[in-house]
Amino acid sequence: MNQLVNSLVTQKSILITGGAGGVGKTTAAAALGTIAALETDRKVLVLTVDPAKRLADAMGLAKFGNVVTKVDLSGFGERSPKGELYAAMLDTKASWDDLVIRYAPNMRVRGEILANPIYRNISSRFVQSHDYIAMESLYDLYNKGDFDLLIVDTPPSRNAMDFLDAPERMADFFSSKLLRWITAPYRSRLVATAFKPFYQVADRIIGSDFLEQVAEFFILFQSMYDGFIERGKSVSALLRSDVTSFLVVTSPEYLPMREAEFFLGALRERHLNLGALIVNRSLPYYLGDQNAIQIAQRLIADSEILVKDRFLGVDPRIMRGVLSEIGSTYLDFSNLYGQQHNLLATLLVDKAKVLATPYLETDVADLTSLERIGSNLDFVKF
Ligand SMILES: Nc1ncnc2c1ncn2[C@@H]1O[C@H](COP(=O)(O)OP(=O)(O)OP(=O)(O)O)[C@@H](O)[C@H]1O
Ligand SMILES: [Mg+2]
């Protein structure tokens, strides 16, 4: 195991992957969990969001859904795992309900919130609420202390750092003017009279009782305000503390790298700890090797000399074509590797924290490929 990977999985308690859509955040989280459980004595939980179906199957998540499930690592033959691996899928709705149950001032409010149609929609469908609840569940799991290492996968979000700010945004939201404005008619008779015509029209357009439900929801929710604010602060503090490291995942192409750059900047601004920049699906480093490049050039330039008469019983003209095609394809890949490497070199990041892992020929859908990805993670040479 690479030494940086080793220090991350043994010295940290929380690792959070983030990055552009489809770059391999879920794969990286699962791969790190797999090698950490195989090679260290830690009890690891991978908290994943929306994993690809086949990966969920491989980790036994398809059967158990949101329940924390032990992953069977017995398929590695002689290599019996030193630690333990567990996985769970984040269930936004159930986590929101837990939160309401915890912070509602009394049973009546709790019941009313859980039954409120707006709440039911927000908690199960509102994408932003996912970010908040992911951080919230993480805090809860960390405090319960059942695991040594929590590896958290984040959802693909339009704004890569949405989840970093989620706890604070939630606190801002509860004290916002908009919220006071929406709930005002329901809190004061005077304002209610003034707004009546507006609400009547709005209800006719949007559907009856909609605004009333919205207002009711927020009034109920405000009763939990203090609990939320306090909790949000604790969650932020945990994300900033030394036990947590962020792993920015990218693929080596232009757009994901630009997004990674943005993400790295966001971590710096917020004084959050960068564990590593993981360049997933990297081309092999030997594509940049000068000796290899010279060989490829010779295959093209000297193909005449390299091919003896009827070498391997093949017509020399065909053989020459094959050799120079191999040479030029190799050079194409070398070029691509060079471009990707140069792009990587421009990122403002501590180069000792840049790790790469190769492009596997198959989809990553079993524990063996996860192990391969994890154990192949290695420093990029600059
Ligand atoms: N190194 C790799 N080699 C081959 N295939 C890979 C590699 N890494 C990831 N994949 C494949 O790429 C796809 C996307 O990976 P993954 O689901 O981990 O990305 P993600 O960043 O979590 O995506 P999303 O943003 O949608 O959550 C998956 O099908 C996965 O199996
Ligand atoms: Mg994912």
Side-chain angles (χ1 to χ4, degrees), residues 20-27 153 156 280-281 358-360 362-364 373:
V23 291
K25 298 179 291 294
T26 304
T27 303
D153 172 31
N280 186 29
R281 297 203 195 91
Y359 205 144
L360 299 192
T362 56
D363 205 32
V364 188
I373 300 236

Side-chain angles (χ1 to χ4, degrees), residues 114-131:
L114 295 178
N116 181 289
I118 304 297
Y119 167 75
R120 305 237 300 255
N121 263 290
I122 289 187
S123 58
S124 56
R125 265 175 266 192
F126 188 37
V127 184
Q128 298 280 331
S129 80
H130 212 116
D131 298 326

Side-chain angles (χ1 to χ4, degrees), residues 17-29 48-52 54-55 153-157 249 279-282 357-365 369-370 373:
T17 63
V23 291
K25 298 179 291 294
T26 304
T27 303
T48 167
V49 189
D50 225 6
R54 289 176 56 208
L55 182 62
D153 172 31
T154 59
S157 56
V249 184
V279 188
N280 186 29
R281 297 203 195 91
S282 289
T357 190
Y359 205 144
L360 299 192
E361 56 286 352
T362 56
D363 205 32
V364 188
S369 352
L370 288 176
I373 300 236

Side-chain angles (χ1 to χ4, degrees), residues 69-377:
T69 307
K70 186 164 187 187
V71 180
D72 179 9
L73 292 175
S74 63
F76 288 90
E78 300 287 280
R79 205 170 148 200
S80 61
K82 296 195 180 110
E84 293 170 45
L85 180 62
Y86 293 79
M89 266 193 289
L90 187 67
D91 177 351
T92 316
K93 171 100 181 78
S95 312
W96 269 108
D97 292 354
D98 281 351
L99 210 63
V100 170
I101 290 167
R102 188 170 319 124
Y103 287 114
N106 54 51
M107 294 296 279
R108 183 188 57 81
V109 173
R110 173 203 284 200
E112 280 174 12
I113 293 180
L114 295 178
N116 181 289
I118 304 297
Y119 167 75
R120 305 237 300 255
N121 263 290
I122 289 187
S123 58
S124 56
R125 265 175 266 192
F126 188 37
V127 184
Q128 298 280 331
S129 80
H130 212 116
D131 298 326
Y132 177 74
I133 216 68
M135 295 302 114
E136 175 64 45
S137 307
L138 176 64
Y139 180 76
D140 206 36
L141 280 164
Y142 176 75
N143 283 324
K144 278 191 189 138
D146 292 340
F147 298 93
D148 303 315
L149 175 63
L150 301 165
I151 306 182
V152 188
D153 172 31
T154 59
S157 56
R158 257 173 304 126
N159 184 343
M161 65 284 306
D162 273 352
F163 67 90
L164 301 182
D165 299 329
E168 271 154 40
R169 219 181 20 234
M170 187 59 85
D172 287 350
F173 178 69
F174 275 103
S175 49
S176 71
K177 276 201 182 125
L178 172 70
L179 202 56
R180 255 177 283 148
W181 187 81
I182 295 178
T183 53
Y186 293 91
R187 284 184 298 180
S188 136
R189 263 171 189 277
L190 190 70
V191 188
T193 318
F195 271 76
K196 205 166 185 186
F198 168 73
Y199 275 82
Q200 279 170 346
V201 175
D203 278 348
R204 236 177 289 139
I205 298 168
I206 310 174
S208 71
D209 302 339
F210 177 75
L211 282 176
E212 191 177 334
Q213 286 167 0
V214 171
E216 184 201 68
F217 164 69
F218 285 124
I219 289 172
L220 289 168
F221 238 65
Q222 274 180 329
S223 67
M224 305 196 297
Y225 178 80
D226 291 341
F228 265 84
I229 301 282
E230 201 186 302
R231 183 87 168 179
K233 280 190 191 141
S234 313
V235 177
S236 293
L238 178 63
L239 294 187
R240 279 182 173 76
S241 78
D242 272 353
V243 303
T244 306
S245 268
F246 289 84
L247 307 170
V248 177
V249 184
T250 185
S251 58
E253 291 90 27
Y254 183 80
L255 285 176
M257 284 232 238
R258 286 283 87 98
E259 207 153 324
E261 187 172 43
F262 191 53
F263 202 89
L264 291 166
L267 293 178
R268 270 196 305 276
E269 261 171 40
R270 291 162 179 74
H271 306 287
L272 295 166
N273 186 312
L274 174 72
L277 170 67
I278 296 179
V279 188
N280 186 29
R281 297 203 195 91
S282 289
L283 291 170
Y285 73 92
Y286 57 72
L287 284 168
D289 184 291
Q290 284 309 313
N291 292 324
I293 290 173
Q294 273 174 16
I295 295 172
Q297 285 164 339
R298 279 200 61 195
L299 284 183
I300 303 167
D302 302 343
S303 57
E304 302 266 348
I305 311 165
L306 292 170
V307 178
K308 296 200 194 80
D309 280 348
R310 303 202 71 77
F311 175 60
L312 293 178
V314 179
D315 179 345
R317 277 172 308 172
I318 294 178
M319 201 65 199
R320 272 201 300 277
V322 171
L323 287 182
S324 69
E325 196 58 50
I326 291 173
S328 60
T329 306
Y330 192 93
L331 291 183
D332 287 345
F333 275 110
S334 282
N335 271 333
L336 185 62
Y337 173 86
Q339 283 168 18
Q340 293 181 345
H341 195 76
N342 291 342
L343 194 59
L344 194 57
T346 64
L347 295 188
L348 188 56
V349 59
D350 178 357
K351 299 288 188 277
K353 288 188 175 174
V354 183
L355 299 170
T357 190
Y359 205 144
L360 299 192
E361 56 286 352
T362 56
D363 205 32
V364 188
D366 54 34
L367 293 165
T368 317
S369 352
L370 288 176
E371 191 280 334
R372 265 182 76 194
I373 300 236
S375 55
N376 276 297
L377 272 168

